[in-house]
């Protein structure tokens, strides 16, 4: 990877790699006559302690820090704006990529003192779910593994600076994009997140959310059986689901059902079902009944938790369900022996809630 940079009027070409390109850094350190432990000092500082610039890695001697930052950068993303919600429970970042594309990523405070990072995997999204602001943009390009992991490192660094002592509880792949349409990069980033020698997050602290990409579900079952799988279902009849999620035409409900049966058989893991609830469209009692029937046709209720996500306003024509409808839907699921939670909406005042990320 190469990129030109203007410095004091003359153009200097620097090697633009993130610290994830460890082989290149290792080679450079060797050529610079540095001892082997320097690489570990760098990886520990970045992956374990959230250093986002070489200046923060004070374990390195200053001349080395100055030399290395001329050649390498840690983050493959550049923050543009950082917005904090009024309640202080969500922070949204907009980031420039090196080709001037833009993405967004969110830090969410789901439990006291513990934050979740919601990462994006694509610039825009080709799936174009009708209620989603990201889908409106169509797909610009896939993110690289560096660009995905950089979102994690940026937020780890942010917490260290602005919320010292608070921890990252998990990472959710629920930002812009359909993760399984960028499978290779997502898989690489998961390896970095879970490698005990690098970031070392527990597999079960990570969730990957798909809209029902069947080949992706099948691959994921083999490659990452301990990482949580979330499936955005939203409806269990093909006609309605295809109007909400156009990918349903390619992978309709019977294929998703078979893939989930196989997933559960192979992994013995629970699946999280995401259900964006749209007022007057999929919030009725009969929708709740059909949802539980469909889930029971796939596997025993213990294998599912339904996360109801009341629609967050975007510039689309849909409206949020009433509080009463959400409650009635959730209560009926529980009565029918299906575990259900209602997702607390965080960050809607900064357009950082589910379905609102647009990267505009
Ligand atoms: S909801 Fe997810 S899959 Fe659907 S358009 Fe938005 S980002 Fe893409």
């Amino acid at each position: 990877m190469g990129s030109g940079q203007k410095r004091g009027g003359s153009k200097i070409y620097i090697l633009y790699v993130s610290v994830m390109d460890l082989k290149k850094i290792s080679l450079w350190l060797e050529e610079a006559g540095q001892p082997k432990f320097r690489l570990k000092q760098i990886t520990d500082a970045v992956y374990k302690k959230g250093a986002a610039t070489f200046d923060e890695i004070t374990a390195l001697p200053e001349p080395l820090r100055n030399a290395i930052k001329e050649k390498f950068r840690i983050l493959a993303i550049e923050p543009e704006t950082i917005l904090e919600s009024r309640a202080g429970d969500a922070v949204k970042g907009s980031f420039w990529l090196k080709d001037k594309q833009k993405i967004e990523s969110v830090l969410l405070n789901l439990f006291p003192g513990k934050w979740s990072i919601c990462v994006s995997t694509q610039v825009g999204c080709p799936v174009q779910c009708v209620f989603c602001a990201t889908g409106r943009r169509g797909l610009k390009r896939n993110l690289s593994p560096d660009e995905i992991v950089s979102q994690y490192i940026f937020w780890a660094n942010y917490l260290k600076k602005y919320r010292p002592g608070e921890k990252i509880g998990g990472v959710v792949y629920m930002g812009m994009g359909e993760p399984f349409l960028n499978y290779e990069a997502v898989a690489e980033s998961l390896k970095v997140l879970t490698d005990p020698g690098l970031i070392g997050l527990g597999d079960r602290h990570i969730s990957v959310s798909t809209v029902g990409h069947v080949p992706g579900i099948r691959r994921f079952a083999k490659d990452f059986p301990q990482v949580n799988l979330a499936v955005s279902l939203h409806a269990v009849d093909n006609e309605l689901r295809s109007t909400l999620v156009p990918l349903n035409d390619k992978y309709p409900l019977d294929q998703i059902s078979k893939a989930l049966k196989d997933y559960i058989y192979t992994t013995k893991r629970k699946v999280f079902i995401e259900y964006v609830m749209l007022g007057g469209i999929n919030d009725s009692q009969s929708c709740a009944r059909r949802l539980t029937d469909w889930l029971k046709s796939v596997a025993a209720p213990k294998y599912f938790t339904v996360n109801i996500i009341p629609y967050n306003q975007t510039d689309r024509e849909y409206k949020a369900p009433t509080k009463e409808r959400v409650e009635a839907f959730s209560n009926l699921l529980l009565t029918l022996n299906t575990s259900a939670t209602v997702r607390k909406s965080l960050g809607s005042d900064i357009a950082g809630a589910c379905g609102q990320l647009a990267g505009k």
Side-chain angles (χ1 to χ4, degrees):
M1 287 183 274
S3 84
Q5 274 226 327
K6 282 253 184 205
R7 295 256 174 89
S10 62
K11 203 169 190 183
I12 300 168
Y13 284 91
I14 63 166
L15 187 65
Y16 188 103
V17 294
S18 84
V19 80
M20 284 175 60
D21 210 336
L22 296 173
K23 273 192 197 133
K24 281 186 185 139
I25 294 189
S26 165
L27 197 66
W28 184 86
L29 287 168
E30 200 183 314
E31 281 169 4
Q34 292 294 326
K36 282 204 179 330
F37 63 80
R38 293 282 181 229
L39 186 66
K40 175 130 177 54
Q41 285 179 317
I42 294 171
T43 52
D44 281 356
V46 173
Y47 294 124
K48 304 271 188 228
K49 297 179 191 148
T53 64
F54 286 103
D55 287 325
E56 294 169 49
I57 312 181
T58 48
L60 300 179
E62 198 183 335
L64 177 61
R65 289 204 300 267
N66 290 337
I68 201 167
K69 74 186 187 195
E70 287 300 312
K71 295 280 178 195
F72 300 96
R73 294 181 194 174
I74 292 173
L75 295 180
I77 59 176
E78 181 106 20
E80 186 211 35
T81 45
I82 305 297
L83 292 174
E84 204 159 310
S85 68
R86 269 187 298 276
D89 52 9
V91 192
K92 180 175 82 167
S94 304
F95 301 93
W96 289 112
L97 307 178
K98 62 179 184 289
D99 57 355
K100 295 295 165 214
Q101 299 286 352
K102 234 160 68 171
I103 55 158
E104 293 180 343
S105 175
V106 190
L107 184 64
L108 297 163
N109 190 200
L110 298 175
F111 304 102
K114 278 216 170 150
W115 295 76
S116 278
I117 296 173
C118 176
V119 296
S120 292
T121 54
Q122 297 183 304
V123 184
C125 180
V127 176
Q128 308 204 322
C129 300
V130 290
F131 48 80
C132 172
T134 304
R136 285 192 77 126
R137 298 183 62 192
L139 177 70
K140 304 283 185 224
R141 72 168 171 85
N142 284 334
L143 295 189
S144 67
D146 280 5
E147 288 163 339
I148 299 171
V149 176
S150 288
Q151 296 168 58
Y152 174 92
I153 295 169
F154 176 85
W155 290 123
N157 186 266
Y158 183 92
L159 277 184
K160 194 170 70 169
K161 281 185 185 145
Y162 301 108
R163 301 277 202 289
E166 305 206 357
K167 300 253 176 296
I168 295 168
V171 175
V172 294
Y173 284 66
M174 291 186 190
M176 299 165 66
E178 158 57 50
F180 290 159
L181 288 173
N182 184 16
Y183 192 93
E184 303 299 338
V186 165
E188 276 307 302
S189 68
L190 285 171
K191 286 179 197 158
V192 175
L193 287 177
T194 55
D195 184 335
L198 299 174
I199 290 171
L201 270 183
D203 287 21
R204 295 188 177 203
H205 293 273
I206 304 173
S207 303
V208 176
S209 176
T210 175
V211 83
H213 186 272
V214 167
I217 295 172
R218 293 192 178 284
R219 250 179 114 174
F220 189 69
K222 286 201 195 89
D223 296 346
F224 300 100
Q226 296 303 317
V227 174
N228 300 316
L229 173 70
V231 177
S232 295
L233 211 51
H234 316 319
V236 289
D237 74 85
N238 278 317
E239 202 181 326
L240 174 59
R241 193 165 190 273
S242 287
T243 64
L244 301 176
V245 181
L247 196 68
N248 192 67
D249 288 340
K250 192 163 180 190
Y251 303 116
L253 287 156
D254 61 326
Q255 286 194 37
I256 297 175
S257 166
K258 279 193 202 115
L260 289 182
K261 274 185 189 158
D262 293 345
Y263 174 88
I264 291 166
Y265 180 78
T266 313
T267 65
K268 312 280 180 285
R269 300 288 320 280
K270 181 187 259 248
V271 177
F272 295 88
I273 300 295
E274 309 291 322
Y275 193 94
V276 169
M277 190 174 281
L278 303 159
I281 293 190
N282 62 355
D283 60 347
S284 67
Q285 295 282 282
S286 70
C287 287
R289 274 204 185 83
R290 272 183 276 149
L291 174 60
T292 51
D293 288 348
W294 190 86
L295 292 175
K296 281 175 190 164
S297 75
V298 177
K302 68 173 181 179
Y303 286 110
F304 298 105
T305 290
V306 178
N307 290 323
I308 299 166
I309 307 167
Y311 173 64
N312 291 301
Q313 207 65 46
T314 64
D315 50 2
R316 296 287 168 117
E317 66 275 19
Y318 297 100
K319 58 181 193 322
T322 62
K323 214 171 146 221
E324 292 71 34
R325 297 276 273 196
V326 175
E327 253 176 48
F329 193 100
S330 152
N331 288 341
L332 184 53
L333 291 189
L334 294 172
T335 310
L336 296 171
N337 204 21
T338 301
S339 148
T341 58
V342 178
R343 169 105 40 99
K344 197 172 138 200
S345 175
L346 302 180
S348 55
D349 57 329
I350 52 170
C354 259
Q356 290 186 317
L357 299 187
K360 284 187 264 195

